[in-house]
Amino acid sequence: MEDTLQALNDLISQFLCLNQPLWSISDDADSFVEAVDELTSTIHSLESTSADHILLESFDHLLERCSLRLGEELQHLIDASDFDANYSNPNTRKSHDDDDSHTLIAQPVSNFDIIVDTLPEGVIFEANRIAKRMVAAGFGDSCAETYASSRLNFINESIARLGVHARMAEMFKSASWEELETQIMCWIPAIRVVFHILIPSERHLCDRIFDGFTSYSDLAFVTACQPFLQLLSFGNFIAAAGKNPECLFRIVDMYDAVRDILPVLDDAFNPEVAALRECLGLSIKAILMALENLVRRDPSESCPLDGGVHPMTRYVMNYLVTACVSRHTLEEVMLLQFGCSDPSGNCPIEPDRPTSSLAVHLAWIVDVLMGNLVSKSKVYSHAPLSCIFLVNNGIYIIKKVNGCELKVLLGEDWTKVIHSKVNQWILEYRRATWGKAVMILDKDRRFCSNVNVITEKLSRFNNFVEAICQVQSRWVLVDKQQAVDFSILVEELVMPAYRDMVEMLKATRSPGELYMRPEDVRSRIQQLFKAMTR
């Protein structure tokens, strides 16, 4: 055995002393592999038949030297096959962010059903030969770590070509939300390419190089892919940074991107991706709560002077309309946050029903908005103007709901309730304004034949109508059809009483008395509401 040790040491030392890669000459590589195989076989035989520990240590030391050289050869093989800095093809473009940068930025990818062979077949074959020897020698962990270290440049270059950086969270921690939005729009397509193409390709490569050694393949794969996983930290950073309602839509886009990678997600990364998905979901829920609080706390002091739609109403309704484009995602978030019996997270999504979690939450936000509007209406010192303000905002809310998927989500019953409130405010306006005009024309049978009483009532009525028109023509009705309906309702209240009073005047047989004809009164009412829809 001592003679065998000496012979193997002499043979192997010839290769270990070479200053050039053994795999640059195939004969040297083959001879070295044969010598390592013979050394490994000899050690296994010696372990089962000899108790000479000193001799075994000598064999093991020689094997360790061989494994170190094999690791160097593996690293050289992979490094020599890395990206060529001058490589270019029609599907890449150079980054112009830095004049000295030669990073090639990948164009958008539409087909994710591909596996990229990032090393030549010959390199994979030779790397597998090396891996087998290192594992057999008991240096599988070292082999896996060497492989992962060798892949670092390639993986970082791959990330850079996607227009992102593994440490984005650190790079942009002081950026404004506008700057972060730009980075999010780069991160979303990048994360899809990473998890649909690059990570599966890396898994495929590890399985081929460490064929038959699953545990070492897993170790090499997980270690090599750490830069890819660092991209997820940007998602966690955005989930924590996005507190305002305006942040919702980009975070929903990120949530969708994370959900899209679940079908192709490697089991090794399930915890990290699941944690990011939950983090983004919590952020979405918190943002909807922030919207509710924003509406609830909006001060009541400021209202449009003409009783028009309040800016808060426009903001909230346009926000909800836009949010409902992603209602399936929002409903999924609500279900996951409030509990789901399916541990995989595959909860049944039924967003087209008014009893869904999302529908209840959005209906509550609108209810809070309505309550806030009622409080704001009390700022007006003129009761009819308060009613006009509430009608305008109520009609605006109804039109927004009916014009998008909110109608499907909130349901007919909810819409009917809002309609009922609007009709109530319309009747309150009619009573507060035109009810007083009708009271002027109130018939008193004791004076029904007194010309002076009748003419005085008509005169007061005409003056009252004129005063109403002067004041209310400065108000606004946001819906033309609503103005027509207002006019009809007022005419139905006023015109019968006015005609009765005119008929009473005619009955006194005093045709010379001046009064406004009924058709002129109707025209004046119509002109008023037409002016309010300017």
Side-chain angles (χ1 to χ4, degrees):
M1 278 296 179
E2 290 178 354
D3 292 340
T4 301
L5 173 63
Q6 186 62 48
L8 286 172
N9 184 65
D10 292 343
L11 175 62
I12 290 172
S13 293
Q14 298 177 34
F15 298 109
L16 298 181
C17 292
L18 289 176
N19 291 325
Q20 65 180 23
L22 298 178
W23 261 255
S24 62
I25 301 175
S26 60
D27 289 344
D28 286 348
D30 292 341
S31 299
F32 184 63
V33 166
E34 289 177 5
V36 171
D37 286 346
E38 184 178 351
L39 174 60
T40 303
S41 176
T42 302
I43 290 175
H44 289 163
S45 298
L46 187 61
E47 287 175 338
S48 61
T49 60
S50 174
D52 190 340
H53 298 295
I54 296 177
L55 187 61
L56 268 174
E57 287 179 3
S58 299
F59 273 104
D60 287 340
H61 178 66
L62 180 59
L63 184 60
E64 183 177 355
R65 292 171 60 203
C66 291
S67 295
L68 287 174
R69 184 57 184 258
L70 286 171
E72 294 173 0
E73 296 294 328
L74 175 63
Q75 185 162 5
H76 183 268
L77 267 176
I78 296 175
D79 289 346
S81 304
D82 211 342
F83 276 128
D84 183 348
N86 297 317
Y87 171 77
S88 181
N89 67 55
N91 292 322
T92 61
R93 60 179 174 82
K94 286 190 176 181
S95 169
H96 300 290
D97 296 337
D98 186 349
D99 292 339
D100 297 327
S101 172
H102 298 288
T103 300
L104 299 170
I105 306 300
Q107 294 295 300
V109 176
S110 57
N111 178 22
F112 292 117
D113 190 21
I114 56 176
I115 293 293
V116 179
D117 288 324
T118 54
L119 290 178
E121 285 293 326
V123 171
I124 295 174
F125 174 78
E126 296 299 335
N128 174 252
R129 291 177 69 194
I130 292 174
K132 286 180 179 178
R133 273 70 193 182
M134 292 187 72
V135 170
F139 292 90
D141 288 349
S142 176
C143 183
E145 291 169 2
T146 299
Y147 167 85
S149 175
S150 301
R151 295 293 292 164
L152 185 61
N153 287 339
F154 175 88
I155 289 173
N156 284 334
E157 183 74 10
S158 298
I159 293 173
R161 292 188 183 201
L162 295 174
V164 292
H165 193 280
R167 301 187 180 275
M168 291 177 71
E170 298 176 18
M171 295 171 62
F172 297 99
K173 62 182 179 181
S174 300
S176 66
W177 179 253
E178 290 72 19
E179 294 173 309
L180 290 177
E181 279 193 298
T182 301
Q183 297 307 315
I184 290 171
M185 296 310 294
C186 296
W187 184 87
I188 288 173
I191 209 73
R192 287 187 169 122
V193 171
V194 163
F195 280 89
H196 279 84
I197 297 177
L198 297 181
I199 287 181
S201 297
E202 195 64 32
R203 167 61 88 177
H204 180 69
L205 181 60
C206 286
D207 288 346
R208 294 186 65 189
I209 290 177
F210 293 90
D211 183 29
F213 308 106
T214 302
S215 62
Y216 297 115
S217 174
D218 290 345
L219 175 61
F221 169 68
V222 170
T223 307
C225 289
Q226 284 306 308
F228 289 140
L229 286 185
Q230 286 180 335
L231 285 172
L232 298 180
S233 64
F234 181 70
N236 288 302
F237 167 69
I238 293 297
K243 300 295 186 181
N244 297 323
E246 290 78 9
C247 303
L248 174 72
F249 308 106
R250 291 301 176 219
I251 294 180
V252 166
D253 291 340
M254 296 179 79
Y255 184 94
D256 287 340
V258 172
R259 182 182 58 197
D260 289 346
I261 68 178
L262 294 179
V264 298
L265 183 63
D266 194 283
D267 291 343
F269 304 134
N270 263 329
E272 290 86 353
V273 174
L276 175 56
R277 184 189 185 198
E278 182 179 4
C279 189
L280 291 170
L282 287 170
S283 179
I284 290 170
K285 182 185 176 186
I287 288 174
L288 290 177
M289 294 295 295
L291 175 64
E292 177 188 327
N293 291 329
L294 177 68
V295 176
R296 189 187 304 279
R297 297 170 183 172
D298 189 57
S300 302
E301 287 74 17
S302 60
C303 283
L305 296 178
D306 58 6
V309 178
H310 196 280
M312 176 58 73
T313 305
R314 295 184 187 277
Y315 174 81
V316 171
M317 294 313 300
N318 287 325
Y319 186 97
L320 296 182
V321 167
T322 306
C324 277
V325 174
S326 305
R327 74 183 197 275
H328 286 79
T329 296
L330 296 177
E331 184 64 70
E332 177 182 307
V333 168
M334 290 296 179
L335 285 172
L336 291 175
Q337 293 306 318
F338 288 115
C340 176
S341 58
D342 187 349
S344 68
N346 297 320
C347 303
I349 307 300
E350 299 180 53
D352 297 340
R353 56 187 176 86
T355 56
S356 71
S357 299
L358 179 63
V360 171
H361 196 84
L362 296 189
W364 175 247
I365 290 176
V366 181
D367 287 344
V368 171
L369 173 62
M370 295 291 288
N372 186 273
L373 291 171
V374 171
S375 297
K376 292 180 187 298
S377 69
K378 297 175 182 178
V379 171
Y380 296 106
S381 58
H382 204 32
L385 182 55
S386 297
C387 296
I388 292 292
F389 170 76
L390 291 172
V391 169
N392 280 329
N393 284 269
I395 291 297
Y396 184 86
I397 290 171
I398 290 171
K399 290 180 72 173
K400 282 294 182 179
V401 169
N402 289 340
C404 71
E405 295 177 344
L406 267 173
K407 182 177 182 179
V408 177
L409 191 59
L410 300 182
E412 291 290 341
D413 291 341
W414 184 90
T415 306
K416 288 178 181 178
V417 170
I418 303 300
H419 266 294
S420 176
K421 290 182 178 181
V422 170
N423 290 334
Q424 179 183 344
W425 293 325
I426 292 173
L427 293 177
E428 288 179 6
Y429 161 81
R430 188 178 74 163
R431 182 172 60 253
T433 298
W434 298 97
K436 293 181 180 180
V438 172
M439 288 176 64
I440 294 174
L441 299 175
D442 186 31
K443 290 182 290 185
D444 190 333
R445 296 299 177 184
R446 294 176 298 169
F447 303 104
C448 61
S449 60
N450 189 316
V451 174
N452 293 331
V453 172
I454 296 173
T455 54
E456 195 250 339
K457 283 180 176 288
L458 289 174
S459 176
R460 284 176 56 202
F461 174 83
N462 293 336
N463 292 335
F464 189 81
V465 170
E466 188 60 31
I468 289 174
C469 292
Q470 286 182 359
V471 173
Q472 297 192 8
S473 60
R474 296 192 294 268
W475 301 353
V476 66
L477 284 172
V478 296
D479 184 73
K480 290 185 177 181
Q481 182 57 48
Q482 197 63 46
V484 173
D485 295 341
F486 261 93
S487 180
I488 293 172
L489 284 171
V490 171
E491 291 172 35
E492 290 176 350
L493 176 67
V494 172
M495 294 312 299
Y498 190 80
R499 287 195 190 94
D500 286 350
M501 190 60 63
V502 170
E503 291 300 323
M504 289 172 61
L505 180 62
K506 288 180 179 180
T508 63
R509 301 188 180 185
S510 301
E513 295 295 336
L514 296 177
Y515 60 88
M516 189 183 296
R517 297 178 302 169
E519 53 268 30
D520 293 333
V521 174
R522 176 184 288 107
S523 177
R524 194 71 183 91
I525 293 171
Q526 292 174 350
Q527 289 173 6
L528 168 63
F529 290 107
K530 185 176 181 180
M532 292 171 70
T533 58
R534 61 187 180 280

